Amino acid sequence: MPQRYPYLACLMALVLCRCAGDVQGEDPPAASLYYPVSMAVSVDQHTAYVVNSNFDLRYNTGWLSAIDLTAVAQAVANKKANTDPVDMTHALLGNEQLRIPSLGGGIAVDPRGGFAVVAARGGRPLTLIELTAGRSLHCGQADATDNLSSDEQRTDCDRAHLLAIDSPNPESKRDSFAVSFIADATTNKNYVALGFLNSGDLMLFDATRSGATPSTVTLSPTRTFALGASGIGAVTSMPLAGNTNGLIAATSLLSDTGGNVPVSVFHIDATVSIASNTDVVSQHSIDIAVVGSGLTGLAFSPTGHRAYAVSNNPDVVMVIDTTPMIERLPDGTGGTTTADQPTPSFDLLSYEPLHGRLSDIQYIVRTTGPDLLAVTSFEGDVVFFLSVLGTSGDRVRVDRRIDVSQDICNASDASCVTGDARSIGRGPFATLHVLPQGGLQLLLVSSFFDHSMGIIDVSASDPRQFEVAGFIHNPAVEPSTVRSF
Amino acid sequence: MMKSPLNLWCTQAVLLSLGGLVLLSACGSDATSLSASFETPTGLAVAGSAKQYLFVANRGQDTLQILEVGKNLSQVDFVRSTAQFFPLRIPAGPSPSRLAATPDGRYVVVLNEADDTLRLIDADALKAATDAEGNPVTLVLDPKGARPTDMVASIQSCAAPCVGLVYVSLPGLGSIAEVAISEIQTNGASIAALVTQRMISVLGEPMRMALTRDGQTLYATDAANQEVIRLNLLDGSSTRADMGAFGGSIALSTDDLILLVGRPSLRDILFLNTDLSVIDADPFFAPAPKCVPQCGDAASETLCQDAHVADLAICITDPAVPPSGLAVSPTFASYGAIFLDTIPVEITTLGAGAGQPPMLERTCGTGPTRTGYEEFAVVAGADGLLRFVGLSQQSVIAPELMQESWCTTPSMAPLAGTPYSVSDVLTECPAMPGRQRFSCACHEGACGIGLLPGITGTKTVIIDWEGVLVDQSSGGGVVTDTGHFFDINLDLGTKNILPGDILDILTEPNTSAQCLVDLAGGAQRSDLERTIQSVTPVDGQTQLTLDCPTTVPGCVRPLPTSCFSKGGAIGYLIRAGNQFVVTTNQERRLSPGEQFGPGLGVGHDEALLFGLRQNVSNLPRTDPTDPKPGFLITDPFKTILSGWSLDNNRNPQAFAVGRLPAAMTVMGASDNPIVFVSYAGSGTDSLLGFVPFDLDTSVMIAEDNYRLIR
């Protein structure tokens, strides 16, 4: 799953100063969501993981929640059509809540299974999570104190699972958010690609295992790409000719301060870069007129020949041509120069204007009808479903729009507070497409401000029949009053 | 003599556009005396039987907003609601995207993408039209999954109770829906209805559409095939033609004889006759080449199969068989579209109509007057700019991208003090194929070619033969007895020095026989030059190996340390050996025979491409104190765009009035139209209105002709 920059970074910056300090706060509540910021699904599709960012540092750590997707699927299957969304909070596995550093960012699960990584702001930008059978979450020795700050001691992680990066410019490696796994079948290597918000650096870590169990994984910094952008918005592997080609796509969040580096997509060949000890990076400015300030999400078609990106200001879904093409040009002396490798052009093909700070995009492959894009509008409080039209997927159109519905919670219901989300909550941010048992297709939508999650059944062939099947909520906490930054 | 409207219009376009900058705030304050703003305005329509209203579909608000347009653009304002300070908003269903009006102006049809419905708005009452039960008139386009995407209205009237027909593309069904708007009067009240009259199968995924004025032929692009569809609405039959790429926006000339189809992936517009044969537009410009096959070589043609068709229209000749270079491809068709270098998002046409005098006369100097274009296509690009294409009715003249100063060709003039002429260093148009793909501009026999339809303006190009890379004339260089050289103050590794470059020693050596250089005794400055053989980092410094070290037996030009005082410290220059140092936006080293543009190597950023001559060995060099040799290139080509400003060098620079154009429509009579363009997406939501030309009056007040409402 591609990971992308949260629009929340600005506010995060305001609270960063507190990261380094000793935050006392309350202990995280059991079985609850709190400013959920990113999600990932286990390889067997049985469990979804949610990073709770503890965005306002109310609690003394952030935490990782696990959701039993089998229980969710069962509840969806039992729900009658056209009835109110079902409370599925029971699917939140309270016993598997793992305390991790606050202000977490993206999460990525190793496609081989067994472990996940979570990005976070602060001095230890990457947390290694072991995922064992039975949905058990581990982060090393939970009560470890050695070489850990008091904040870090409150997590369930030991030093080996809280990665610090040795860098001559440590400030450039403090602010990670986007993270993704990159596989390289040629060398049989697996990497973690980590993007930083404040430096535009993208780091590769060798995630090769020395043994069969997750605990044998060590993450070794392998290469850093200084992309020259003011922050990395999204990082994902490129599926051209398979998903194990060592190709990375990353987006810049902003142009640099001088405006010399426009908002761009970067195409990185990790395999050749590492083998040749040379950065093999091509930068593609999509269209400065279209992309104003930031590519916050990026998804690829299964062939890798089309990319779909969302940006802010203006809010737009873009269709981008990523068909690889070789360069072959006259050299001015009668001969030709030919590029060694075909390179995607990243030319803009079309766009669809939407509204409300688009934050995430998810490509959903469909067996009936056109494939879909799910797009969240963070300030618009909307989840859009767009169909991918044409044989090449060059056009998208809005097929369905699900608006946030508020105050479904009955005021007389003592189990909830006013505004408690009983559907898609406010500030829909991250999305996760999952395929649990029973042939269901579900889209999980985390709601940042309502500390909740909406579960949309997207199994129907007609998007107009999609409905919010259920929700996971946090009745113990008032929804945030923060609505804009 | 007949007045040339274009000249007038060009002038006003620039003035107005400049004025438009000022107007952004002025107009905004005027327009927002109400608390009015757009939110993702993706649809526009002109309607109203008593007054002329512009209806705007706000996708982000699920509403329509309405602007009343008076005699000119200064009289455009939101229609107010009954609530003070707020504009009228008409609920329009989820995600209203496209609008169409009936020919009598009584109704506006709203296409709602999110629920696949049409809704009907009473354009005079400015509210939703209602059925007999008083419910809003809504039509669900069955069956589900039809995915209505585009909608066009017929301007022809239909038999009562029908008051209009609209056509809706349904890519989910491979069909076009014909929907009738009907109206009956009951007890003095209008009862309206929307009825699907026909579902016409055309297969594929029909997307954007254009309808002839007689309402009998509909053209559509197809997302499933790289084809355009021509649908005969009388009998429902359809034919198709290959477009070479997927089509996007589409429009018809006002005489219905020319079909314009935007091709997003190729960033151009293709022109078709009514039989769907291609009109060979002289491209004039093409994209900078990316992949050009070898002539007649199937392997390289396969290699370049995904290249732009403009690349495939040319090929590289066999270098072993002179003259080598580019030629017209024997395999692929000539490139005959108008290249814009941006996605044509919306196209609309403006014309005086058949039989009217030309709207434009093109007269260059004292030459013969060329027949004018009768109409224009206005093209809104994804870059936010508006471009204009000249069209000739009945295809008498090939469509052409309109430009200012179109009688003037690019020119080159040497900079003061340049010791050689343009033709000494520049070639003719580099590798020009027989058919014009590029424009070729010459001066003194040397030429550059235009590549991209951009704005070059005036550029200074420094072309310095064996130009100075390092100037350390004040000293600091050290020669060693081993034939090496370094600088005690400067790391030469940072200076882009390559083997073959020249160390030009400025300090005069002593006259000992060992030094073999006696400038006073007749030796030449060149005797003090040494060719750099290698550049090697040594202990944190960069050391140059010279071509004649004393350690090499038989070297005839030794230069030991003892030839200079102070342990060999000398003043020196390092020159690019046998190369030009070409400076445009950046400094680059280029060899004779290579090409350059004011931007990157093959002109990706700029409009011109130049070739350097092969044989330039006799060119004089310049010293650091000499004026830099080079040329001033003036390319007057400026596409007629929606906005202009001046950069720091007083060169014209296009600016986008808005970003993300979403819809375009025309209001008013054909000889005095007002064009409206909406820009959609948070942060760019706005509406631009402009008068593209005025045949009768000069334009003195910018606001009358250019208006941006946010």
Side-chain angles (χ1 to χ4, degrees):
Chain A
M1 170 194 160
Q3 293 294 335
R4 71 277 168 274
Y5 166 79
Y7 160 63
L8 323 167
C10 298
L11 188 58
M12 280 186 163
L14 298 177
V15 294
L16 179 61
C17 56
R18 295 177 63 185
C19 304
D22 182 9
V23 180
Q24 296 293 334
E26 309 166 37
D27 286 333
S32 61
L33 303 177
Y34 196 66
Y35 289 114
V37 73
S38 64
M39 294 182 286
V41 66
S42 63
V43 175
D44 62 10
Q45 300 279 319
H46 287 169
T47 313
Y49 305 103
V50 185
V51 175
N52 297 283
S53 65
N54 187 27
F55 182 64
D56 61 355
L57 302 184
R58 170 173 177 171
Y59 301 105
N60 54 26
T61 68
W63 63 95
L64 185 65
S65 297
I67 295 172
D68 181 353
L69 291 178
T70 306
V72 169
Q74 189 67 47
V76 173
N78 292 338
K79 178 183 174 298
K80 293 179 180 176
N82 302 318
T83 56
D84 285 345
V86 176
D87 187 345
M88 301 180 185
T89 307
H90 65 278
L92 200 55
L93 297 168
N95 292 335
E96 298 305 333
Q97 193 160 290
L98 187 76
R99 290 180 295 180
I100 59 176
S102 293
L103 302 180
I107 178 173
V109 170
D110 186 345
R112 300 164 295 179
F115 82 102
V117 286
V118 177
R121 299 174 68 98
R124 297 180 186 271
L126 203 56
T127 304
L128 179 60
I129 312 289
E130 295 175 33
L131 312 173
T132 55
R135 304 190 180 92
S136 190
L137 302 174
H138 299 282
C139 191
Q141 197 177 340
D143 56 356
T145 58
D146 288 352
N147 296 311
L148 296 176
S149 69
S150 55
D151 281 352
E152 292 161 354
Q153 289 176 27
R154 293 192 187 98
T155 70
D156 292 327
C157 306
D158 60 21
R159 190 187 177 198
H161 289 73
L162 293 172
L163 245 68
I165 296 171
D166 185 18
S167 168
N169 182 13
E171 285 304 310
S172 69
K173 303 291 184 297
R174 287 182 57 87
D175 201 5
S176 69
F177 190 86
V179 65
S180 183
F181 275 88
I182 309 296
D184 176 8
T186 308
T187 58
N188 203 25
K189 292 271 192 181
N190 285 272
Y191 302 99
V192 170
L194 183 67
F196 292 85
L197 291 174
N198 62 344
S199 64
D201 283 359
L202 186 138
M203 279 191 79
L204 273 187
F205 298 84
D206 189 335
T208 305
R209 294 177 179 177
S210 56
T213 60
S215 60
T216 60
V217 171
T218 53
L219 297 178
S220 317
T222 302
R223 192 162 191 88
T224 298
F225 300 92
L227 300 182
S230 293
I232 302 299
V235 173
T236 185
S237 61
M238 284 189 69
L240 283 171
N243 226 343
T244 58
N245 50 25
L247 297 178
I248 307 169
T251 67
S252 65
L253 185 66
L254 300 166
S255 60
D256 68 350
T257 50
N260 297 316
V261 182
V263 175
S264 304
V265 176
F266 299 91
H267 169 237
I268 303 164
D269 191 326
T271 306
V272 178
S273 295
I274 292 168
S276 65
N277 198 28
T278 307
D279 289 355
V280 180
V281 178
S282 50
Q283 180 181 354
H284 307 272
S285 171
I286 300 300
D287 190 329
I288 196 69
V290 176
V291 184
S293 60
L295 294 166
T296 52
L298 183 68
F300 283 91
S301 65
T303 64
H305 287 190
R306 292 291 180 271
Y308 302 88
V310 290
S311 79
N312 288 173
N313 188 28
D315 295 299
V316 59
V317 179
M318 288 171 287
V319 183
I320 299 166
D321 186 357
T322 50
T323 308
M325 199 187 78
I326 203 155
E327 286 206 4
R328 188 177 189 282
L329 297 170
D331 65 358
T333 60
T336 55
T337 55
T338 305
D340 293 335
Q341 295 290 332
T343 307
S345 63
F346 284 89
D347 286 333
L348 182 71
L349 290 173
S350 65
Y351 57 80
E352 192 68 16
L354 299 174
H355 67 276
R357 295 265 179 197
L358 307 182
S359 55
D360 193 17
I361 184 167
Q362 187 95 194
Y363 191 99
I364 301 175
V365 176
R366 311 272 292 172
T367 54
T368 307
D371 290 349
L372 295 176
L373 301 174
V375 174
T376 46
S377 173
F378 184 61
E379 286 187 352
D381 286 342
V382 177
V383 181
F384 292 100
F385 291 94
L386 297 95
S387 55
V388 178
L389 297 177
T391 48
S392 296
D394 290 358
R395 276 287 309 271
V396 295
R397 83 180 275 287
V398 175
D399 264 14
R400 178 74 196 278
R401 199 182 76 185
I402 296 180
D403 295 84
V404 167
S405 57
Q406 299 176 37
D407 296 328
I408 290 177
C409 176
N410 188 334
S412 63
D413 183 349
S415 69
C416 65
V417 296
T418 302
D420 182 22
R422 294 300 181 102
S423 179
I424 304 293
R426 296 171 306 150
F429 187 66
T431 58
L432 181 67
H433 180 226
V434 298
L435 303 165
Q437 295 173 330
L440 288 172
Q441 288 201 55
L442 304 177
L443 187 77
L444 312 187
V445 182
S446 69
S447 300
F448 193 75
F449 297 119
D450 285 341
H451 317 299
S452 66
M453 177 178 296
I455 295 144
I456 305 174
D457 185 353
V458 295
S459 308
S461 59
D462 184 352
R464 287 177 300 178
Q465 295 172 350
F466 292 173
E467 64 172 2
V468 182
F471 59 90
I472 292 171
H473 69 142
N474 187 345
V477 180
E478 301 82 6
S480 171
T481 55
V482 178
R483 287 295 290 151
S484 62
F485 313 120
Chain B
M1 178 181 170
M2 184 176 174
K3 182 170 61 177
S4 168
L6 180 73
N7 290 337
L8 173 64
W9 180 59
C10 292
T11 306
Q12 79 189 57
V14 175
L15 291 173
L16 299 178
S17 302
L18 288 169
L21 274 178
V22 179
L23 283 171
L24 298 184
S25 57
C27 293
S29 61
D30 178 44
T32 55
S33 55
L34 294 173
S35 177
S37 60
F38 301 111
E39 189 160 353
T40 325
T42 53
L44 296 174
V46 176
S49 58
K51 292 181 178 179
Q52 287 268 289
Y53 293 116
L54 179 68
F55 288 77
V56 182
N58 282 306
R59 177 192 265 177
Q61 278 181 352
D62 294 352
T63 65
L64 303 190
Q65 285 184 339
I66 305 98
L67 294 103
E68 186 175 351
V69 182
K71 291 181 179 177
N72 55 46
L73 279 170
S74 64
Q75 299 174 3
V76 177
D77 209 350
F78 288 96
V79 173
R80 295 166 183 262
S81 70
T82 52
Q84 195 175 9
F85 305 123
F86 291 97
L88 179 65
R89 291 185 174 93
I90 304 175
S95 293
S97 57
R98 309 296 287 186
L99 301 178
T102 54
D104 61 1
R106 278 278 293 125
Y107 293 99
V108 170
V109 185
V110 184
L111 170 60
N112 294 107
E113 281 190 342
D115 66 354
D116 290 14
T117 61
L118 301 181
R119 282 170 170 76
L120 196 60
I121 305 297
D122 187 324
D124 289 333
L126 299 179
K127 63 180 183 181
T130 52
D131 59 18
E133 284 74 43
N135 298 316
V137 176
T138 302
L139 174 68
V140 178
L141 291 159
D142 281 325
K144 294 184 187 302
R147 295 188 170 79
T149 300
D150 196 13
M151 179 169 61
V152 293
S154 171
I155 63 170
Q156 295 297 315
S157 57
C158 49
C162 173
V163 294
L165 293 172
V166 295
Y167 294 88
V168 183
S169 62
L170 305 173
L173 294 180
S175 299
I176 308 287
E178 182 183 77
V179 177
I181 302 100
S182 63
E183 179 188 53
I184 56 173
Q185 298 293 326
T186 304
N187 298 328
S190 294
I191 304 300
L194 287 167
V195 179
T196 304
Q197 291 202 151
R198 286 191 289 172
M199 296 289 272
I200 310 167
S201 175
V202 292
L203 305 178
E205 297 182 37
M207 301 291 288
R208 301 295 301 276
M209 299 183 297
L211 184 62
T212 54
R213 287 170 179 267
D214 62 10
Q216 295 181 1
T217 307
L218 184 143
Y219 297 90
T221 54
D222 185 352
N225 303 284
Q226 297 182 353
E227 294 174 334
V228 64
I229 303 164
R230 186 183 62 189
L231 172 62
N232 183 335
L233 292 170
L234 297 178
D235 61 11
S237 64
S238 59
T239 55
R240 290 168 167 266
D242 187 6
M243 296 263 300
F246 289 106
S249 52
I250 187 169
L252 278 161
S253 60
T254 55
D255 62 359
D256 288 340
L257 294 178
I258 303 174
L259 180 67
L260 300 83
V261 185
R263 301 189 294 186
S265 63
L266 302 179
R267 298 176 186 282
D268 64 11
I269 297 178
L270 193 66
F271 301 85
L272 303 168
N273 290 306
T274 51
D275 64 355
L276 299 184
S277 60
V278 174
I279 298 170
D280 192 13
D282 187 338
F284 198 63
F285 289 99
K290 282 187 177 176
C291 195
V292 182
Q294 205 79 23
C295 296
D297 175 38
S300 65
E301 287 170 357
T302 303
L303 206 63
C304 294
Q305 61 185 348
D306 293 322
H308 194 286
V309 294
D311 282 8
L312 299 177
I314 54 176
C315 60
I316 301 168
T317 58
D318 185 348
V321 183
S324 62
L326 295 180
V328 176
S329 170
T331 312
F332 297 96
S334 294
Y335 181 53
I338 296 291
F339 181 69
L340 304 172
D341 201 24
T342 189
I343 297 171
V345 178
E346 290 285 325
I347 307 172
T348 196
T349 53
L350 307 168
Q356 296 297 313
M359 296 165 62
L360 166 69
E361 271 189 318
R362 173 173 169 157
T363 307
C364 294
T366 57
T369 298
R370 185 175 172 179
T371 305
Y373 293 102
E374 289 88 355
E375 63 179 297
F376 300 99
V378 184
V379 184
D383 57 4
L385 298 173
L386 301 174
R387 293 165 174 82
F388 299 84
V389 176
L391 299 173
S392 171
Q393 289 171 354
Q394 302 177 23
S395 310
V396 175
I397 305 173
E400 184 178 4
L401 188 61
M402 307 298 293
Q403 60 160 312
E404 293 187 67
S405 308
W406 58 352
C407 296
T408 313
T409 56
S411 63
M412 290 166 271
L415 296 175
T418 295
Y420 37 75
S421 70
V422 177
S423 56
D424 288 334
V425 289
L426 297 180
T427 64
E428 300 78 28
C429 282
M432 192 69 183
R435 185 178 184 280
Q436 273 215 336
R437 164 190 163 112
F438 310 117
S439 65
C440 183
C442 300
H443 177 75
E444 294 182 358
C447 306
I449 58 173
L451 271 178
L452 306 174
I455 304 160
T456 297
T458 302
K459 294 280 183 186
T460 299
V461 180
I462 304 299
I463 308 179
D464 198 358
W465 173 246
E466 297 199 328
V468 175
L469 300 169
V470 179
D471 176 7
Q472 290 287 86
S473 51
S474 57
V478 176
V479 292
T480 70
D481 287 345
T482 57
H484 295 109
F485 180 87
F486 63 92
D487 192 297
I488 55 176
N489 300 318
L490 178 69
D491 180 6
L492 296 172
T494 64
K495 296 297 180 181
N496 194 23
I497 300 168
L498 301 174
D501 285 346
I502 300 161
L503 176 68
D504 185 356
I505 296 171
L506 302 178
T507 302
E508 192 171 328
N510 62 45
T511 56
S512 70
Q514 190 185 21
C515 299
L516 294 178
V517 179
D518 182 3
L519 295 179
Q524 302 297 311
R525 274 284 307 275
S526 58
D527 291 334
L528 275 173
E529 291 178 5
R530 295 294 181 269
T531 302
I532 296 165
Q533 289 190 319
S534 63
V535 182
T536 313
V538 177
D539 296 334
Q541 264 287 1
T542 298
Q543 184 171 274
L544 311 180
T545 304
L546 307 180
D547 68 341
C548 198
T550 54
T551 52
V552 175
C555 176
V556 296
R557 299 200 304 158
L559 203 61
T561 305
S562 58
C563 287
F564 300 95
S565 59
K566 299 179 183 177
I570 58 174
Y572 68 96
L573 306 174
I574 294 178
R575 297 178 178 276
N578 204 35
Q579 282 194 312
F580 290 99
V581 175
V582 177
T583 307
T584 53
N585 295 335
Q586 57 180 312
E587 182 180 285
R588 282 162 295 151
R589 306 172 52 137
L590 294 172
S591 297
E594 289 194 303
Q595 299 174 351
F596 72 97
L600 302 177
V602 288
H604 279 289
D605 283 352
E606 303 287 353
L608 293 170
L609 180 68
F610 295 93
L612 293 165
R613 285 198 177 280
Q614 279 282 8
N615 184 9
V616 292
S617 56
N618 293 325
L619 287 179
R621 287 180 185 161
T622 60
D623 285 327
T625 54
D626 295 337
K628 285 289 184 186
F631 308 95
L632 194 68
I633 300 168
T634 303
D635 179 7
F637 181 88
K638 296 190 287 282
T639 43
I640 298 173
L641 300 160
S642 55
W644 292 98
S645 64
L646 299 178
D647 65 14
N648 293 336
N649 297 320
R650 307 294 297 169
N651 288 322
Q653 217 173 35
F655 73 89
V657 173
R659 295 182 294 173
L660 296 174
M664 183 155 54
T665 194
V666 183
M667 173 184 277
S670 61
D671 61 347
N672 192 23
I674 301 173
V675 179
F676 287 99
V677 183
S678 71
Y679 298 90
S682 304
T684 190
D685 293 334
S686 55
L687 178 73
L688 169 72
F690 66 96
V691 177
F693 46 78
D694 186 337
L695 295 175
D696 302 321
T697 61
S698 61
V699 178
M700 301 302 292
I701 304 171
E703 189 174 347
D704 283 346
N705 296 277
Y706 187 97
R707 187 93 188 269
L708 186 68
I709 303 168
R710 294 191 188 280

